[in-house]
């Protein structure tokens, strides 16, 4: 019997040394940032077990309006999409905020086995965005509470945060 391992399983079976570069890369040996526009099966940010988190510091404060989560389509993915996140939460805050000042932007459930060409790309509205009450953030934390049944690993392929970028304050030299 021949056993096939997806790329995530191969990466997880190697000891990982976490660094800032590892956090935002899907494969520390070949590169490939989480936000790139191509997707290959198994080339994901793999978290050991049924959940975990990834935290990102943005280069400037933004006002988030929508969050999009994408996994490989279950009809072509390894194990039928069981490594896809199920229950998750996205938090946002400004650097320097206390932990209790972190705001939950999205609490959602990613669904697999949906019909439709782009069913694996699922948008989630940001709380309070529809009311126009946007809060500036420069840190984002995606917490996966459970996946779709894979006990070994959970994969993140694409995470997208849509946001308004507030204008930078203009300063003029004093005369």
């Amino acid at each position: 019997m021949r056993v096939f391992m997806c790329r995530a399983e191969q990466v997880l079976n190697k000891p990982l040394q976490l660094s800032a570069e590892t956090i935002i890369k899907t494969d520390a040996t070949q590169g490939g940032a989480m936000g790139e526009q191509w997707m290959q099966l198994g080339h994901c940010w793999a978290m050991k077990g049924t959940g975990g988190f990834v935290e990102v510091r943005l280069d400037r404060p933004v006002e988030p309006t929508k969050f999009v989560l994408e996994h490989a389509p279950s009809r072509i993915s390894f194990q039928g999409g069981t490594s896809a996140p199920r229950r998750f939460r996205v938090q946002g805050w400004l650097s320097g905020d206390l932990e209790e000042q972190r705001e939950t932007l999205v609490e959602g459930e990613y669904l697999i086995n949906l019909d439709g060409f782009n069913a694996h790309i699922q948008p989630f509205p940001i709380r309070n965005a529809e009311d126009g009450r946007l809060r500036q953030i420069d840190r984002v934390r995606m917490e996966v509470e459970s996946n779709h049944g894979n006990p070994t690993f959970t994969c993140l392929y694409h995470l997208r945060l849509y946001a308004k970028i507030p204008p930078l304050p203009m300063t003029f030299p004093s005369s």
Side-chain angles (χ1 to χ4, degrees):
M1 179 172 91
R2 194 166 172 189
V3 176
F4 292 95
M5 293 175 66
C6 77
R7 184 73 184 132
E9 289 173 310
Q10 292 170 359
V11 170
L12 284 174
N13 287 330
K14 296 178 190 172
L16 287 178
Q17 182 175 356
L18 295 180
S19 66
E21 181 179 288
T22 308
I23 288 294
I24 61 171
K25 299 285 185 181
T26 58
D27 181 344
T29 60
Q30 295 181 1
M34 285 172 56
E36 287 184 6
Q37 294 302 309
W38 57 271
M39 182 188 302
Q40 291 181 332
L41 290 177
H43 285 258
C44 65
W45 172 249
M47 299 178 286
K48 196 168 199 162
T50 60
F53 72 91
V54 62
E55 201 168 285
V56 178
R57 181 173 178 206
L58 307 175
D59 68 343
R60 72 188 79 173
V62 299
E63 298 171 347
T65 57
K66 181 172 62 172
F67 176 77
V68 175
L69 180 57
E70 179 178 354
H71 192 271
S74 62
R75 66 188 173 278
I76 63 167
S77 67
F78 300 109
Q79 296 105 15
T82 60
S83 67
R86 181 185 294 260
R87 298 272 324 133
F88 69 92
R89 176 172 63 175
V90 179
Q91 291 183 308
W93 68 95
L94 278 173
S95 297
D97 282 356
L98 300 173
E99 190 165 334
E100 56 269 6
Q101 292 174 296
R102 293 181 179 190
E103 183 177 335
T104 298
L105 305 173
V106 176
E107 281 186 299
E109 184 164 352
Y110 182 86
L111 304 173
I112 60 173
N113 298 326
L114 294 176
D115 291 331
F117 182 71
N118 285 330
H120 62 288
I121 303 171
Q122 297 176 24
F124 298 89
I126 300 292
R127 290 182 179 175
N128 300 326
E130 61 277 354
D131 300 339
R133 294 183 290 139
L134 302 176
R135 178 176 188 254
Q136 286 190 8
I137 64 168
D138 65 358
R139 301 231 177 201
V140 179
R141 179 181 173 114
M142 160 79 171
E143 296 178 4
V144 178
E145 298 169 4
S146 64
N147 68 18
H148 282 273
N150 190 319
T152 310
F153 61 92
T154 301
C155 281
L156 296 177
Y157 280 92
H158 287 158
L159 310 175
R160 292 192 283 268
L161 182 69
Y162 291 84
K164 294 180 181 177
I165 300 174
L168 295 172
M170 297 187 69
T171 57
F172 299 99
S174 57
S175 42

